[in-house]
Amino acid sequence: MIDETHDPARASWVVSANGHEAFPIQNLPLGVFSPDGGTARGGIAIGEKIFDISAALEIGLFSGAALDAAQAASGRTLNPLLEAGPAARQALRRRIGELLDAKGADAAKLQAIANRLLHDTVRCAMHLPARVGDFTDFFAGIHHAYTAGTISRPENPLMPNYKYVPVAYHSRASSVGVSGGTVRRPNGQRKPPGQADPDFGPCRNLDYELELGVWIGPGNALGSPIPIAEASDHVAGLCLLNDWSARDIQSWESQPLGPFLAKSLSTFVSPWIVTTEALAPFRIAQPPRPAGDPAPLPHLNNPADQAHGCFNIDFEVLLLTPRLRAAGAAPHVLSRANASMLYWTVAQMVAHHTSNGCNLQPGDLFGSGTVSGLGQGTAGCLLEMTRGGQNPTTLTNGETRAYLHDGDEVIFRGRGHRAGYASIGFGECRGTVTEALPLA
Ligand code: MN
C-alpha cells in the first residue's frame, strides 16, 4: 500500500536524510543500537543519524497505536514489534515520518531538541535487531542452484524437486551476527579430490553467499499453516544476509543430510530491518516461469503474490583485500544481481515452511539462497564465479582470488528503485575474515 510515507517530495529536517542513498525519510528502517556508551535500544535510521525511539517516548511524542508500537520497538530487541504485525509497524512508520517531516507541525520544536532525539550513526554500535529463534536457509536462487549443480553433477544440475519445492535446510540461529564483525576461518574435516582420507585443519575454500534476508513477523501456532494469501502479513521486513560457507568442509560432510558445520560457523545480516511497508513501491510481478516449467502447486500459487510478490532490489558484492585497504583503494566490485532472480517469492517460502504445520515465530530469520544471475559478473558467491576455485578471479589491482583470504572484507549493498519514487537502501552487510584458531 502506497501512502504519504512514500511521497518522493517529502523531505526531512534531518538534512543528511535528503537525497541519502540508503536512508531518506521514505525508508525509516528499524534497528537496535547503542549510543556511545549507552544501553541497547530500538531506533530508526534517518540519513547519517539514528532516531532514538525511547528518547521520543520519554518526551511524549506518541499516542494511540503509535504509542503501543513505539513501546514495542524501544527495547533491546525488536521481537515485540515483530510480533505485533503490520498495523503496528504502519502506525509507527506514519508517526515517525510525520515527526521527521521538514513540513511537520512540530518540526521547529523537534529540531530544537534534536540532540536528545538523534545520535550520530558513526558513534553508535549496531546489534542484531531481533533475537533469532530459528534460521532457515532456502535455495531459491535458481541460477545459483543450476551453476553450483553443474560443478558437482554436470549431467543433472537441478534436482527433480527444485521447481516444485522451495528447497531449504534448517541452519543455526546462535551464530547469526550483525554486520561489521569478523568471521573466523573454521577448522574442519577436509577431503580434497585425490586425497584418500580426510584430515582436520583450516578451511581452504571459504566463501560468502549473497542472500536476501527475511525477518518474520507474527508467525503461526503449531499445526496452523499460513495460507499463501496471508503469507505477506507475516513478513516484517528484509535485510542483506551473508551465509558464510566453507566449501571444502561442505562437500565432504553434506551427504546425505545436507550442510552442517560448513554453514553454522557464522551468518551475517545487515543491521536494519527494511520494513515491508517501506518496500511497497519496489514490489513487482514474479517473473514468468520459463516455458515448460510446472506451475506452482495450488498451495503455493496465488494471483496477488504472482502479481506483486517479487522485489526489485539491486545487489552489489564488493571485496576489500588487505592490499587494497593498505593502498587506500576502493573495494573491488565482484558482482551485481537482483532479487528478481529468485525462483520463489518470500510468500511462497512462508507458505511452504508452514504447510506441514510447523510454526514460525517473531524474529525467525530466512535466507533466500544465493542470488545469482547467469551472465558474467552476476555470481552471488565465489564457488560459482571461480567454478569451484578452478578459474580464480582477477581484481582491479591484479590480485587473484579463488576463495577468500584472511583479512579480506566482503561487503554487500542493496537498493530498491522505481521511477517516480525515492530510492531506498539497506545499508551494508560487511564482514572480515580472520585466521583460523591453531590446532590443538
Ligand atoms: Mn545459503
Side-chain angles (χ1 to χ4, degrees):
M1 192 178 66
I2 307 285
D3 58 28
E4 80 283 359
T5 63
H6 304 98
D7 179 359
R10 192 182 227 187
S12 176
W13 53 265
V14 181
V15 175
S16 63
N18 301 326
H20 196 274
E21 64 162 2
F23 308 129
I25 193 170
Q26 291 82 6
N27 192 347
L28 305 178
L30 293 150
V32 174
F33 73 103
S34 295
D36 224 0
T39 53
R41 65 193 76 172
I44 293 232
I46 178 78
E48 299 296 324
K49 305 277 185 181
I50 299 175
F51 178 88
D52 187 331
I53 296 172
S54 27
L57 277 165
E58 279 168 28
I59 297 165
L61 297 177
F62 298 101
S63 62
L67 174 60
D68 295 339
Q71 280 165 342
S74 61
R76 300 180 144 272
T77 78
L78 297 176
N79 296 72
L81 182 73
L82 300 181
E83 182 166 13
R89 292 194 309 272
Q90 278 161 21
L92 188 64
R93 174 179 171 81
R94 285 204 134 120
R95 178 58 180 152
I96 292 182
E98 192 175 74
L99 290 171
L100 293 171
D101 189 334
K103 294 182 181 162
D106 297 324
K109 191 181 95 187
L110 295 169
Q111 232 173 322
I113 55 166
N115 62 337
R116 286 180 66 193
L117 283 173
L118 301 173
H119 303 271
D120 290 330
T121 306
V122 292
R123 295 173 63 86
C124 295
M126 296 305 302
H127 308 285
L128 262 188
R131 192 180 56 257
V132 180
D134 280 290
F135 168 38
T136 300
D137 197 28
F138 284 84
F139 195 46
I142 189 168
H143 305 311
H144 167 75
Y146 181 85
T147 307
T150 61
I151 295 168
S152 47
R153 296 178 309 276
E155 68 295 339
N156 181 25
L158 276 189
M159 293 301 219
N161 61 2
Y162 190 85
K163 293 175 177 178
Y164 293 92
V165 178
V167 170
Y169 67 98
H170 188 196
S171 196
R172 189 76 191 162
S174 63
S175 52
V176 175
V178 76
S179 169
T182 56
V183 57
R184 188 172 288 286
R185 181 179 299 277
N187 292 314
Q189 287 199 24
R190 312 162 302 182
K191 188 182 170 303
Q195 185 175 307
D197 298 308
D199 58 11
F200 184 83
C203 165
R204 298 185 182 103
N205 298 351
L206 186 61
D207 202 355
Y208 58 82
E209 289 189 340
L210 168 69
E211 304 196 21
L212 185 65
V214 180
W215 287 103
I216 296 299
N220 57 312
L222 182 62
S224 301
I226 298 173
I228 183 141
E230 293 166 25
S232 289
D233 293 344
H234 297 274
V235 177
L238 305 179
C239 65
L240 305 172
L241 185 147
N242 185 346
D243 179 27
W244 299 104
S245 298
R247 300 300 184 192
D248 43 357
I249 297 171
Q250 185 179 354
S251 62
W252 170 236
E253 75 174 1
S254 291
Q255 308 301 329
L257 290 187
F260 182 47
L261 303 181
K263 300 287 192 173
S264 62
L265 63 114
S266 184
T267 304
F268 278 18
V269 291
S270 54
W272 298 103
I273 301 178
V274 178
T275 63
T276 303
E277 291 69 42
L279 289 163
F282 313 107
R283 284 183 174 274
I284 54 174
Q286 177 68 358
R289 292 184 161 201
D293 281 13
L297 291 179
H299 70 296
L300 300 177
N301 201 351
N302 173 262
D305 181 50
Q306 290 298 306
H308 313 290
C310 179
F311 293 95
N312 184 18
I313 298 168
D314 281 329
F315 299 115
E316 202 174 33
V317 179
L318 303 100
L319 181 68
L320 189 60
T321 68
R323 263 183 56 192
L324 285 168
R325 191 181 301 113
H332 173 88
V333 178
L334 284 172
S335 67
R336 294 192 170 93
N338 186 282
S340 63
M341 293 164 178
L342 296 168
Y343 193 75
W344 298 100
T345 67
V346 171
Q348 286 174 319
M349 295 176 200
V350 169
H352 173 66
H353 203 306
T354 63
S355 61
N356 67 344
C358 175
N359 49 331
L360 295 176
Q361 302 184 89
D364 281 359
L365 179 67
F366 291 177
S368 62
T370 307
V371 185
S372 297
L374 277 176
Q376 189 80 19
T378 65
C381 65
L382 290 171
L383 172 78
E384 285 174 65
M385 196 180 306
T386 70
R387 300 244 9 124
Q390 299 301 302
N391 305 326
T393 195
T394 304
L395 313 184
T396 31
N397 64 351
E399 286 182 278
T400 59
R401 285 293 182 276
Y403 285 103
L404 296 170
H405 292 192
D406 292 348
D408 283 354
E409 183 173 27
V410 178
I411 306 161
F412 296 168
R413 294 180 187 146
R415 195 165 161 78
H417 58 84
R418 177 176 158 193
Y421 289 85
S423 292
I424 65 172
F426 282 74
E428 291 181 332
C429 182
R430 304 176 81 108
T432 304
V433 178
T434 57
E435 76 283 3
L437 288 175
L439 298 175

